[in-house]
Amino acid sequence: MNFRLTCPLGASRRTYEAHAFGSGRSGRVCNSGIGRLTARYLVEGDKIFAEDITYAGANNFGIYAYGSGNAGTFTGQTVSVDVSEEAGWATGVYAGVGGKIVIGERDKSVVTIRTKDTGVVEGSLSFGLWVDGKENLGGVMEVKGKSVTIHAESEGQTDVRAIHVATNTLKPSQRSSLLIDADTVSITADGEGARAIVAMSTGVVEVKGRATIAADNAIVARGDAKVLVNAEGKYSTVINGNVNFSYDAPTSKTPVDATVVLNLVGPESSWTGNTVVSWNGKPTSVDEYLSVTGMKLGLSKAAAWTPVETAKDSTTANIGAKYTALNLLENNDGVINITGSAIDVTVEKMTGTGGTVNLAADLTAEEGSRTGTITIAEADENSKIDVKLKDAKMERNLTSDDLTAEEAKSLMAAGVDAAENVGVTSTVEEGMYNDGFRIDEEGATTSTGPNSVMQSTLELAAAAPLAINRILMNDVRKRLGDIRTSQGTSGVWARYDGGRLSGSAGLENDFHTIQAGVDTVPGDSSIRFGAALSYTGSEADYRRGNADMDLYGLSAYGLWMGEAGQFVDVVGRLASAKTDMTVDGGKKGSMDNVALSLSGEFGWRFDVSSLFYVEPQIEATYTFVDAERLELSDGSSYEFDDAHSLLGRAGMAFGMKCPNNIGSVHARVSAVHEFLGDLKVTGGNGAILETDGKDTWVEYGLGVNFNLTPATYFWADVERTSGGVLDEDWRATVGVRHAF
């Protein structure tokens, strides 16, 4: 309802029951068509009221100042005015026709103004703050504090406005003005057609502070009025509701054009609403009276604007509304959310560097109706728009599993119509299977790299063969120590082997192995035969998941040692691995693998002197891990090919024998090469990812061997590797053997 407020200006004045504010008695202000209007605090003269105010009652006005020379300053730490009127006007604070009111002190006062009207009486109203003027004489109001809350509501058909400021003339020589300046500001209005801020007929409203403004119409303006919200860009601001440029033929007949500046800064700032023009009685000159040129929105540092659906143009209706364009968008890394196909907005000019457009796309809709539209008619040079394609509910980004590059281009073209000098780009994130891609300003498409989910899944699933390959590669010295010191034909042994593997994608794989074996030299044979059982636990952490593996193994070996220092060691292994995986934040699955391994090592010890020796060595290890299918808890599936590994090692050990046959120490260095190692995974949608497993690294370590008794010895070995895609940060082996 557009309703001209005239009673305080035009109603007959009467003798007040109380002529000064703060007396504790109500005063009669005027008579109107709805009866006697009364005020709790009447302002006459220039007065300062320093006490706290806590008032709740049924006067029409809480605080009232009318006419030049009447100025009231309320400096209390608490100023609370709650006006409720069952049969008339409910106004919190009024300053009109030269009257001035200052409420609160910055960083000190807590100001709360609330009004409520039941709407029982026709023409009733609920206004929180009302600043009015007449014939070039406006009212002035300032509200300051640590916090300021302005709330107006009604239970009926009441005209509800949290703030109303008007001069009632188009001459700006003395505008009515309202300044709200506080750390936190809340301006809200509830009720049918409620309005948070109304500025008309050259009225000025400025809001400073961390502000929340909310109503069906957050801002209503016309007649060269000004509304400035966070104009200096110092605070976060949340606005919920439309900005309505409203023409009212019965009362004003003034054009709707006005200045509205909303400056939103930071990710906590947002505006959910749109710009509209409404009319009560359509003017004969629509272009003159219903045109808007002063709507400016500032978005910076991830502040967001979410336009809502507005009424379409109705050119013949006497009462109606239409959408109007945003005149100026100052965009510096702001965000615009186009939430559906019903959203169609226009920006006449965009300045700044540009920002992001989140574009909802309904892929189930017919072609051409899948998105809303934002049109940017003019823009600064080198400005950019980054388009984020969202699902229809704006809950997630569309991925490369949802759409192809051509489909993405089509959606971008339908949703963003920008001036030629605006660079429009988009990056579509990878899905579970397909690579992500980027569309540049020229429309060219480039991949953002191999699919990291596929890659991570492959890496995780490869934890088994990777760990098995490296863990099972253990030469005779690691497994048995220096067996040359053994005295008997048979023996038992046990060892612990543990370490950490690290690699790309943030891989860290900690493993530990417990192994026990027995061996013997049968008859006159020169070959020692043995068997061992082992358990390996492996915990792998990756960039996008983790994997835990349990590996149970059975091995058999034959060791020949020649009189001249030669040795040949052959080991066959059978292992069963179970790997539990968590991928991409919570998708779980498991794999069971069987591994077969065969290794052979040849070495030759040459005594340099009675104490020192050198021992060249070569070793080859082949490992096969069977193919397996992985199904994750989100329904995605992956098929892995068989894994084949062939490791070759060539190195040299340098040792020193301790006197009295108490043991030895050695250092060793080797070069190792992976000749195979390729891995391949096929996603549930047929996407394929392959990795080249070939790799080369250097292995180096130190070891000791001590004879505890003639029949028992202890050994320890530590090593590192470097230069490979997968390296050992450390590995340590300790063991003991007893011969009999």
Side-chain angles (χ1 to χ4, degrees):
M1 170 171 65
N2 269 309
F3 173 82
R4 184 151 185 176
L5 308 167
T6 59
C7 179
L9 305 177
S12 60
R13 300 293 301 279
R14 294 290 184 268
T15 303
Y16 301 137
E17 295 176 16
H19 294 282
F21 61 80
S23 64
R25 293 179 292 149
S26 299
R28 182 158 56 99
V29 177
C30 62
N31 287 340
S32 73
I34 63 172
R36 190 181 74 168
L37 301 184
T38 59
R40 174 61 176 173
Y41 298 97
L42 303 175
V43 178
E44 285 197 334
D46 191 351
K47 304 289 185 178
I48 297 176
F49 189 70
E51 299 178 12
D52 291 348
I53 291 177
T54 304
Y55 169 70
N59 284 291
N60 300 117
F61 295 88
I63 300 173
Y64 184 95
Y66 181 95
S68 297
N70 294 324
T73 301
F74 296 75
T75 61
Q77 186 169 339
T78 299
V79 179
S80 177
V81 176
D82 191 338
V83 176
S84 177
E85 179 57 62
E86 296 183 356
W89 293 358
T91 301
V93 184
Y94 175 87
V97 193
K100 181 177 181 180
I101 292 177
V102 177
I103 297 177
E105 294 184 337
R106 190 67 165 83
D107 304 323
K108 170 187 173 184
S109 302
V110 176
V111 180
T112 305
I113 310 296
R114 298 181 181 275
T115 62
K116 183 177 180 179
D117 191 276
T118 61
V120 174
V121 178
E122 184 179 355
S124 61
L125 58 82
S126 177
F127 283 16
L129 305 179
W130 182 359
V131 188
D132 213 353
K134 183 180 182 181
E135 298 175 352
N136 296 330
L137 189 59
V140 177
M141 190 181 299
E142 296 180 4
V143 183
K144 304 176 181 180
K146 289 191 297 184
S147 71
V148 172
T149 300
I150 314 297
H151 179 74
E153 62 179 299
S154 172
E155 296 178 352
Q157 298 268 331
T158 301
D159 189 1
V160 182
R161 313 183 187 193
I163 291 171
H164 176 88
V165 180
T167 310
N168 296 305
T169 177
L170 291 181
K171 298 179 181 180
S173 58
Q174 188 173 350
R175 298 172 182 260
S176 291
S177 65
L178 167 66
L179 170 65
I180 298 178
D181 185 4
D183 289 339
T184 60
V185 179
S186 175
I187 304 169
T188 57
D190 292 331
E192 186 176 347
R195 311 165 200 191
I197 297 175
V198 177
M200 298 178 175
S201 302
T202 71
V204 178
V205 178
E206 185 170 7
V207 179
K208 299 180 179 181
R210 297 191 301 274
T212 298
I213 303 169
D216 288 347
N217 289 293
I219 296 171
V220 177
R222 67 167 174 254
D224 195 32
K226 293 183 179 180
V227 178
L228 309 175
V229 179
N230 191 33
E232 298 175 346
K234 296 181 177 180
Y235 310 97
S236 62
T237 305
V238 176
I239 303 172
N240 292 311
N242 289 334
V243 176
N244 189 340
F245 297 88
S246 177
Y247 175 80
D248 189 58
T251 61
S252 73
K253 295 185 175 64
T254 57
V256 300
D257 203 13
T259 299
V260 176
V261 178
L262 311 178
N263 197 12
L264 310 182
V265 180
E268 296 180 352
S269 295
S270 64
W271 174 32
T272 303
N274 219 328
T275 48
V276 298
V277 169
S278 65
W279 58 88
N280 178 18
K282 199 129 186 195
T284 54
S285 177
V286 172
D287 290 341
E288 179 182 356
Y289 281 83
L290 300 185
S291 295
V292 177
T293 65
M295 178 65 210
K296 176 184 175 182
L297 173 65
L299 296 175
S300 60
K301 300 180 180 178
W305 172 35
T306 304
V308 299
E309 185 178 2
T310 62
K312 304 302 180 183
D313 189 4
S314 177
T315 58
T316 58
N318 192 51
I319 298 176
K322 68 175 183 176
Y323 167 77
T324 189
L326 192 68
N327 303 125
L328 178 62
L329 171 63
E330 190 174 289
N331 193 356
N332 291 290
D333 196 28
V335 178
I336 302 172
N337 299 311
I338 306 300
T339 58
S341 58
I343 307 301
D344 184 5
V345 295
T346 297
V347 176
E348 293 180 349
K349 184 176 182 179
M350 183 176 75
T351 62
T353 59
T356 299
V357 172
N358 290 323
L359 184 64
D362 184 0
L363 301 182
T364 65
E366 295 182 0
E367 200 73 36
S369 60
R370 293 183 170 181
T371 69
T373 303
I374 180 170
T375 299
I376 302 172
E378 182 183 350
D380 283 352
E381 293 291 336
N382 301 317
S383 60
K384 299 182 182 296
I385 292 294
D386 182 31
V387 180
K388 300 292 186 185
L389 297 171
K390 300 277 189 176
D391 72 332
K393 295 182 179 180
M394 296 286 284
E395 294 177 345
R396 67 177 182 86
N397 292 335
L398 295 177
T399 73
S400 57
D401 288 348
D402 299 311
L403 71 172
T404 65
E406 291 305 313
E407 289 171 329
K409 292 177 187 178
S410 177
L411 292 171
M412 291 169 59
V416 180
D417 182 9
E420 290 185 0
N421 62 326
V422 178
V424 181
T425 62
S426 182
T427 299
V428 176
E429 300 173 1
E430 65 185 19
M432 291 295 296
Y433 305 114
N434 296 317
D435 299 347
F437 55 86
R438 175 173 173 79
I439 302 170
D440 66 18
E441 299 175 2
E442 305 300 325
T445 303
T446 56
S447 173
T448 57
N451 185 280
S452 66
V453 179
M454 286 272 285
Q455 184 70 46
S456 295
T457 305
L458 178 64
E459 292 165 350
L460 283 167
L466 285 172
I468 292 169
N469 295 350
R470 300 296 290 271
I471 293 168
L472 294 185
M473 184 182 178
N474 62 69
D475 56 67
V476 68
R477 194 180 292 275
K478 288 187 195 141
R479 191 177 75 255
L480 297 174
D482 191 356
I483 198 170
R484 290 182 175 87
T485 64
S486 179
Q487 300 294 312
T489 59
S490 301
V492 294
W493 56 272
R495 72 182 184 111
Y496 168 82
D497 182 32
R500 171 175 290 177
L501 303 172
S502 63
S504 59
L507 166 65
E508 287 190 353
N509 187 353
D510 294 325
F511 64 91
H512 53 88
T513 298
I514 298 174
Q515 189 177 30
V518 59
D519 54 50
T520 186
V521 180
D524 295 331
S525 174
S526 60
I527 301 175
R528 184 177 299 275
F529 296 94
L533 295 172
S534 65
Y535 165 77
T536 299
S538 171
E539 298 177 353
D541 291 319
Y542 292 79
R543 172 179 55 198
R544 298 183 67 162
N546 57 76
D548 295 332
M549 181 185 68
D550 293 306
L551 175 69
Y552 297 90
L554 171 66
S555 61
Y557 59 90
L559 174 62
W560 172 80
M561 304 186 72
E563 296 291 336
Q566 314 96 319
F567 70 89
V568 176
D569 183 46
V570 178
V571 185
R573 305 172 182 89
L574 172 65
S576 174
K578 179 177 177 59
T579 308
D580 295 320
M581 285 165 279
T582 301
V583 182
D584 201 30
K587 305 176 184 69
K588 297 183 181 296
S590 63
M591 291 177 51
D592 294 309
N593 299 99
V594 174
L596 298 172
S597 176
L598 180 66
S599 67
E601 181 185 8
F602 172 75
W604 198 326
R605 177 179 293 189
F606 298 95
D607 289 329
V608 179
S609 68
S610 61
L611 294 179
F612 297 98
Y613 66 86
V614 296
E615 184 179 285
Q617 306 162 352
I618 57 172
E619 183 182 8
T621 303
Y622 171 78
T623 303
F624 165 82
V625 181
D626 69 328
E628 182 62 35
R629 177 181 176 87
L630 172 66
E631 293 187 359
L632 296 178
S633 54
D634 68 341
S636 60
S637 63
Y638 305 86
E639 201 75 43
F640 293 87
D641 285 6
D642 295 336
H644 301 268
S645 170
L646 179 60
L647 295 172
R649 181 180 68 87
M652 183 78 71
F654 306 89
M656 183 183 74
K657 293 178 282 188
C658 300
N660 301 319
N661 198 35
I662 62 174
S664 63
V665 296
H666 68 270
R668 55 186 175 81
V669 61
S670 301
V672 188
H673 183 71
E674 170 66 85
F675 293 90
L676 301 176
D678 297 346
L679 297 172
K680 178 180 178 182
V681 60
T682 303
N685 69 340
I688 295 175
L689 181 65
E690 296 179 271
T691 61
D692 184 354
K694 296 177 180 62
D695 194 13
T696 301
W697 62 92
V698 177
E699 176 185 288
Y700 44 93
L702 298 171
V704 297
N705 204 98
F706 287 107
N707 297 319
L708 304 176
T709 71
T712 305
Y713 65 87
F714 162 87
W715 76 93
D717 186 274
V718 294
E719 74 174 25
R720 285 179 58 92
T721 71
S722 54
V725 174
L726 183 68
D727 281 322
E728 290 176 354
D729 295 335
W730 63 272
R731 184 170 181 173
T733 301
V734 293
V736 63
R737 190 177 190 279
H738 179 74
F740 48 86

